[in-house]
Amino acid sequence: MNDTASEQIPNRSESEIIDWIAVRVANELSIAPGEVDLNQDLTTFGLDSIAVFTLTGDLAEWLDRDLRATLLWEFPTIQLLAQHLVLGNVQECDLNPRSLVSLQTGGDRFPLFCIDGAMRYRALASHLPSDQPVYGLIPEDATDGQWYSFDKIGARARHYANVIRNMQPHGPYHVAGLSFAGVVAFLVAQELRKDGEEVGLLTFFDTFGPGYYILPVSKRLSLHWRAWRQMDTRERAKYLAERARNRLKIQPRDQAKTLEIAQPEKYSPQLSQEEWEDEWQIDNLARRLLPAEKVYFTRMIALLRRRPKSAYYDGPAIIFVAQDEPMGFMEADTSRGWRDFMPKLQTHSVPGTHTSMIQEPRVANVARLLNEKLQEVQSSPQNSSQNS
Amino acid sequence: MIFPDLPENQAHVWRCDLDRISPSEYSVAADEHARAAKFHFERDKNRFLAGRGVLRQLLANYLNVSAEDLKFVVNSHGKPDLPENLQDNSHALRFNISHSQNHALFAFGFDFDIGVDIEFQREDFDAEKISRLANRFFTPNENRALSTLESLEKREAFFRLWTRKEALLKAVGTGVSGGLSRFEISCLSEETPRVLAPRKESKNWTLFDLEVEAEYSGALAVRAENTTEYSVCQFQFIDEPRA
């Protein structure tokens, strides 16, 4: 597929492509091309899968270019598709079609791009208003086992920034990440700003930042004790089991180890989207990584800390901190250690644990708060530099 | 209406002409009305509502609950399913629906993944168009199989292949967006409907061609557990709204 795409880049403008598709759709439906809403999902015209598939085939022929059979499922409106085809000329070969999963389409608000996952953000998407598009970005290639290598994290952030810009050419961009993915989201935001684009809102779901540090043993024990006293028998059993598991698990000490645990046990190109998606990998990894304070803090945080403070993010940001996460080993901080590095960070302490906070039923509240913030950001010019 | 029993290793498929259903006579949830409102044409809106109304009615009969109490969950590809709390502890009713123009199919089974598809055999799909599409999007073997056929036979084989494929991808849960060439499927009239590749998937799925209206193709896919033999029973749904 890449060969043809790179050999011959068709010289069609966005409006030519739009016109061509609109006429085709209009013919199919026996209506006037002007009646075809460019921002409506094509399925709302009653086009079935065969019609969509045929349209893709004809479009590929007209453009004299290979297109994926599923392209119109990924870019379901004429506007999005045309935009992708024009912008995608350069980047198509680099982008894995499955990098971007649409969780909610429709509406003309700027999309929310959620980093490192799709399924895990589905509940969140469903609680946001239907005119707020939401996309999940999933790792480009799980086969090389390098997607959680810290050395590659910068490249990964750049890749995501490309995927996002391919979808939405200009800012403001809304980027969000759960847990560790928040760090990646942070780097994506920086990449987008490097491109001269505006970041609308950066969202963290319980992401630990560079200001966090591990407490001395005595303090940790006392925090464990405090948490312990508040638990009932069942919670205590779970707590103990969790700690024991953390202790017994191989702690990734070096790069090689990290790579190993990041590698899916089985991979075949035939895996379904769900299987293929990073779900178990990220969750497993997070489970191991977060208790494995050493890796997270020494490597990731060191990476962030190496950057001068001024290089941090001064745009609008919001963090949701999981109230019920027994984080006995770390200093209590309502901003999870980001406060000093992000002056416009708004913090919310919400019920739930590290992972349950954006799942049912807790997610409704988080979605409501996030939506308020998104609306606030969208209704006011963000960067003072852009006020003039 | 006397409602048929659904044994464990059987699938039921209901046919229905959506244009003969008056949606207002059936229970449809508010979010379904909202979704229907997004359709550009009144005709599609009505068909969507009729489809949901009939689906609810049939599910209500299988589950012995009231149609308006039914709630659906969807997977990340939009395939609807019943939430766990509506299910009996031992058995989970699975379902799938498809429509092409005014004709719809509703498929049901207990405890196995199920997918169904119906397509109108469009007249504009001539041999040349089919060759181009198959060449572009189907696997080399499927393309080769289709290329041995002429005109009408070719069109039938194409729609046979398409409906088997889409039914299978819907049973898998991804729908067509999961990738058309993920499975290679038989399409010649003398072949039994089955997955040809990947070979290890072949025994996991049972495919059926369905009896549908003239000029339509229909297929059903079920995930075959162990070596169970599955059968399919087809029924016609006649507009018989709740009292």
Side-chain angles (χ1 to χ4, degrees), chain A residues 70 80-81 86 98 111 168 264 324 378:
Chain A
T70 54
L80 286 177
L81 179 64
V86 174
R98 300 200 276 192
Q168 181 193 332
D324 307 326
Q378 297 193 7

Side-chain angles (χ1 to χ4, degrees), chain A residues 1 49-61 65-73, chain B residues 125 129-140 142-143 146 158 161-162 165 176 179-183:
Chain A
M1 159 171 101
S49 51
I50 275 220
V52 167
F53 166 76
T54 315
L55 179 62
T56 315
D58 292 348
L59 182 63
E61 234 144 78
R65 167 175 172 192
D66 271 359
L67 298 178
R68 296 185 290 280
T70 54
L71 199 64
L72 262 155
W73 278 270
Chain B
F125 274 60
K129 181 169 192 153
I130 289 169
S131 299
R132 278 189 288 124
L133 286 170
N135 189 26
R136 201 174 268 284
F137 295 128
F138 286 172
T139 74
E142 288 167 345
N143 191 19
L146 284 172
F158 173 85
L161 176 59
W162 178 280
K165 223 175 237 253
V176 184
L180 280 177
S181 49
R182 196 174 144 193
F183 296 98

Side-chain angles (χ1 to χ4, degrees), chain A residues 98 101 103 116-121 136-139 142 147 271-282, chain B residues 76-77:
Chain A
R98 300 200 276 192
V101 178
L103 296 169
D116 277 349
M119 298 289 281
R120 54 193 1 220
Y121 299 113
L137 288 141
I138 54 183
W147 58 266
L271 285 184
S272 74
Q273 178 106 34
E274 277 90 342
E275 291 167 312
W276 187 88
E277 218 177 284
D278 47 334
E279 221 48 49
W280 76 264
Q281 299 168 39
I282 286 186
Chain B
S76 60
H77 300 273

Side-chain angles (χ1 to χ4, degrees), chain A residues 29-51:
Chain A
L29 302 169
S30 314
I31 55 175
E35 254 188 89
V36 180
D37 185 339
L38 306 181
N39 292 308
Q40 277 272 7
D41 211 287
L42 283 175
T43 55
T44 62
F45 290 105
L47 291 183
D48 60 11
S49 51
I50 275 220

Side-chain angles (χ1 to χ4, degrees), chain A residues 239-253:
Chain A
Y239 191 70
L240 274 187
E242 213 163 78
R243 302 296 122 173
R245 205 172 54 219
N246 292 344
R247 287 284 159 220
L248 295 174
K249 280 259 159 69
I250 309 153
Q251 304 263 316
R253 281 202 196 90

Side-chain angles (χ1 to χ4, degrees), chain A residues 92-383:
Chain A
E92 178 97 6
C93 336
D94 306 322
L95 299 181
N96 185 308
R98 300 200 276 192
S99 286
L100 196 70
V101 178
S102 103
L103 296 169
Q104 181 156 285
T105 51
D108 50 8
R109 290 163 66 163
F110 290 106
L112 177 68
F113 292 100
C114 300
I115 301 295
D116 277 349
M119 298 289 281
R120 54 193 1 220
Y121 299 113
R122 212 177 66 197
L124 177 76
S126 73
H127 280 278
L128 287 169
S130 59
D131 63 343
Q132 173 64 60
V134 184
Y135 293 91
L137 288 141
I138 54 183
E140 161 204 24
D141 186 0
T143 48
D144 68 1
Q146 302 222 321
W147 58 266
Y148 251 111
S149 134
F150 293 114
D151 295 342
K152 300 261 173 144
I153 212 92
R156 169 118 138 238
R158 182 65 246 174
H159 169 78
Y160 280 152
N162 289 344
V163 175
I164 289 172
R165 294 207 58 198
N166 187 42
M167 179 79 211
Q168 181 193 332
H170 298 292
Y173 295 100
H174 305 312
V175 195
L178 168 67
S179 179
F180 183 79
V183 176
V184 186
F186 174 82
L187 295 174
V188 169
Q190 294 206 326
E191 288 299 321
L192 291 167
R193 291 181 127 206
K194 241 189 262 171
D195 290 355
E197 294 293 336
E198 183 192 340
V199 173
L201 183 67
L202 174 59
T203 304
F204 292 147
F205 302 105
D206 220 30
T207 299
F208 293 85
Y212 237 82
Y213 63 88
I214 307 160
L215 294 170
V217 178
S218 60
K219 201 82 182 273
R220 277 153 67 185
L221 280 173
S222 90
L223 284 170
H224 273 301
W225 173 240
R226 207 190 301 163
W228 180 260
R229 275 197 320 202
Q230 289 167 0
M231 293 178 204
D232 63 23
T233 323
R234 228 180 76 214
E235 285 170 330
R236 282 181 179 174
K238 215 175 133 197
Y239 191 70
L240 274 187
E242 213 163 78
R243 302 296 122 173
R245 205 172 54 219
N246 292 344
R247 287 284 159 220
L248 295 174
K249 280 259 159 69
I250 309 153
Q251 304 263 316
R253 281 202 196 90
D254 52 29
Q255 186 75 17
K257 248 337 186 225
T258 316
L259 292 186
E260 198 182 298
I261 61 166
Q263 194 124 31
E265 275 166 0
K266 278 181 279 180
Y267 178 87
S268 108
Q270 305 286 356
L271 285 184
S272 74
Q273 178 106 34
E274 277 90 342
E275 291 167 312
W276 187 88
E277 218 177 284
D278 47 334
E279 221 48 49
W280 76 264
Q281 299 168 39
I282 286 186
D283 283 349
N284 272 359
L285 201 60
R287 227 167 273 138
R288 297 181 200 195
L289 259 186
L290 285 171
E293 306 103 324
K294 275 177 196 139
V295 175
Y296 191 87
F297 288 95
T298 58
R299 299 197 77 113
M300 194 62 238
I301 304 304
L303 190 136
L304 288 172
R305 279 184 180 152
R306 275 206 302 274
R307 302 179 176 212
K309 253 193 187 181
S310 57
Y312 281 139
Y313 175 82
D314 60 359
I318 188 167
I319 183 167
F320 296 93
V321 174
Q323 250 168 30
D324 307 326
E325 185 65 29
M327 283 289 172
F329 51 83
M330 285 181 263
E331 182 209 22
D333 170 1
T334 51
S335 84
R336 292 280 192 239
W338 288 101
R339 187 178 293 136
D340 293 344
F341 305 89
M342 296 165 79
K344 287 193 199 157
L345 181 68
Q346 181 181 329
T347 64
H348 284 285
S349 192
V350 294
T353 62
H354 194 64
T355 45
S356 75
M357 62 185 290
I358 61 161
Q359 299 307 329
E360 301 284 4
R362 311 214 189 274
V363 64
N365 179 43
V366 171
R368 183 181 55 80
L369 293 166
L370 177 59
N371 182 46
E372 279 172 20
K373 185 73 184 170
L374 281 168
Q375 279 181 321
E376 178 195 317
V377 167
Q378 297 193 7
S379 61
S380 64
Q382 289 320 313
N383 291 345

